[in-house]
Amino acid sequence: MTIQQIKYILGVAENGSLNKAAEKLSISQPSLTASIHDAESELGFDIFKRSSRGVSLTGRGESFVFDARKVYKSFENLLKKYGDSEEKTFSVATLYYAFARKAFVEVVKEFSPMGWDFAFREMKAVDVIADVALSKSNIGIFYMSDSNKNEILRSLESNHLDFHHLTECNAFVYLHRSHPLAEKESISLDDLSEFQFVTFDTDDVKSFFSEEVLSRHELKKPIMVADRATELNLLKKLNGYTFLSGVSGEDTNEEFITVPLKIHDGVKGSAFELGYITQKNVEMNDISLAYIDAIQRILDA
C-alpha cells in the first residue's frame, strides 16, 4: 500500500462521499474508487460500506483509519523536517473567539508580504483536536473545564498532542439586551430553566457542566444550529441564551450582553482553562510563536 492510497482513504473517510473526496483530492472518481478497491484487496477487508447515501466506515475500517491517520501524520512530519523547502502555510483551528481572530489578523499583516498562505477555521472542540492531529492546522485554540478535562486530556494523548496553558476564565450567560434576565447582576442555572438554550457546538453544554448538574436544574434540551449568525438570531427571537467562557473580546455584538453565571453548588466560578494545542515533538515556527504572542497581548490587555 502506498502513502497516496492512505491519503485517498483518509480523504474519503473525512468527506463521507467519493464525489466530494475526488474533488478535494483533485482526482477523478473512477481513479479514486479503483485505488481504494486495490487497497481493500491488498488488506483483505472492506474499509468502506457503499450505499445510495454515500460511504461509511466498516468496523475494521474505523480501526484502520485511526491508525492510518497516525502513519500519514508521521509522513507529513518527516517531509516538514527533511524536505528541501519549508511549506509556508499557517492555519488555526479554534472555537468561536474574537481574540483568536484579532491575533490572526495581526500575523497575517506581518507575514503575508513573505509569501505565506493562511487559513482560519472556527469549529467544534472535537474538530479542533482532529484538525491539529491531522496537520491541517498548526495550532488549535479551545478550553477545558472540570467537566471535560479528563476526557480532553485522554483525547489529546491518543492523538499525540500537547495542551499549553494561556489563562483561566469564568462562565457567563450570553443573551440579547431585551431578554427578561438582562438586568440581573448574575444569573443562576435555575433562572434559565424556562428559557431556550441555543448553541452551534454540540459539546458546548457538556464542556461547561456535568450531566448531573444539567439534570438537577432541568435545563431545556438545546437547539442545535450550524453557525453563529443563526444562533444569535434565535437568541434574539426566542429569548434564548448560550454560555461563554468570558474571555476578553468575545462579546463583539452590541445587541447582546454577557452576565456572570451565579456560583453555587456544582457550578464553579473559575472552572475553565483556556489554552492551545500543538503536535507533540513538533517545534513551533516563527509565525506560530508570533500568533501566540499576539494572543497573550490581547488577553493581557
Side-chain angles (χ1 to χ4, degrees):
M1 179 179 297
T2 66
I3 286 291
Q4 189 78 328
Q5 284 175 307
I6 292 176
K7 179 180 179 180
Y8 290 164
I9 291 167
L10 294 179
V12 175
E14 179 181 346
N15 289 280
S17 164
L18 287 166
N19 278 329
K20 291 180 181 178
E23 182 178 347
K24 291 188 177 181
L25 293 167
S26 299
I27 184 177
S28 69
Q29 183 180 332
S31 296
L32 177 61
T33 301
S35 179
I36 290 175
H37 274 308
D38 289 343
E40 290 176 324
S41 296
E42 183 179 343
L43 291 169
F45 62 86
D46 289 339
I47 300 172
F48 297 103
K49 293 181 289 187
R50 282 81 170 173
S51 71
S52 59
R53 293 176 294 178
V55 296
S56 59
L57 290 168
T58 63
R60 292 196 70 183
E62 288 184 4
S63 179
F64 174 82
V65 166
F66 178 80
D67 290 332
R69 285 191 177 118
K70 298 178 184 177
V71 172
Y72 194 74
K73 182 175 70 174
S74 297
F75 171 71
E76 289 187 320
N77 290 339
L78 193 67
L79 287 181
K80 288 179 181 179
K81 186 173 183 179
Y82 296 104
D84 292 335
S85 61
E86 179 184 13
E87 184 181 5
K88 301 182 74 170
T89 62
F90 179 67
S91 177
V92 174
T94 178
L95 301 182
Y96 184 84
Y97 285 132
F99 72 84
R101 295 194 299 276
K102 292 177 182 178
F104 188 76
V105 170
E106 287 190 24
V107 298
V108 169
K109 287 181 178 178
E110 180 180 353
F111 286 88
S112 59
M114 305 174 194
W116 284 78
D117 293 326
F118 300 94
F120 185 85
R121 293 185 284 270
E122 294 177 330
M123 52 183 62
K124 302 174 185 178
V126 64
D127 295 326
V128 171
I129 293 175
D131 217 57
V132 179
L134 293 173
S135 300
K136 293 182 178 180
S137 287
N138 304 78
I139 291 174
I141 308 290
F142 67 97
Y143 61 84
M144 295 191 298
S145 71
D146 291 342
S147 297
N148 71 359
K149 185 172 184 176
N150 291 335
E151 180 182 351
I152 289 290
L153 290 177
R154 284 195 299 269
S155 180
L156 295 179
E157 184 63 29
S158 66
N159 284 283
H160 304 286
L161 302 174
D162 285 327
F163 179 86
H164 310 270
H165 174 85
L166 283 171
T167 189
E168 293 183 353
C169 40
N170 304 315
F172 284 76
V173 182
Y174 190 68
L175 35 73
H176 193 264
R177 289 187 178 277
S178 63
H179 194 285
L181 301 177
E183 299 300 321
K184 294 177 70 70
E185 292 185 1
S186 64
I187 297 174
S188 70
L189 290 180
D190 288 334
D191 292 333
L192 297 171
S193 61
E194 64 180 282
F195 299 102
Q196 181 64 59
F197 175 59
V198 184
T199 181
F200 76 103
D201 187 341
T202 54
D203 297 322
D204 257 5
V205 69
K206 294 179 183 177
S207 298
F208 279 90
F209 312 109
S210 68
E211 294 289 350
E212 188 273 332
V213 168
L214 296 175
S215 175
R216 186 194 320 151
H217 296 278
E218 299 181 344
L219 295 188
K220 291 183 179 180
K221 186 175 180 180
I223 295 177
M224 311 308 305
V225 295
D227 58 80
R228 185 65 72 172
T230 303
E231 180 185 50
L232 295 180
N233 190 41
L234 289 174
L235 293 184
K236 181 177 181 178
K237 302 295 184 181
L238 299 180
N239 276 336
Y241 68 92
T242 192
F243 297 110
L244 291 180
S245 56
V247 178
S248 172
E250 277 190 316
D251 184 10
T252 58
N253 190 315
E254 293 183 357
E255 287 189 72
F256 296 85
I257 60 171
T258 55
V259 180
L261 185 69
K262 187 178 298 183
I263 302 171
H264 55 75
D265 61 312
V267 180
K268 298 181 179 180
S270 298
F272 312 112
E273 182 181 8
L274 181 73
Y276 64 96
I277 57 174
T278 59
Q279 293 184 358
K280 285 183 181 292
N281 304 318
V282 175
E283 187 176 352
M284 293 177 66
N285 57 17
D286 289 344
I287 192 170
S288 296
L289 293 172
Y291 180 67
I292 296 303
D293 285 344
I295 285 179
Q296 285 288 184
R297 287 196 302 272
I298 293 169
L299 294 179
D300 291 343

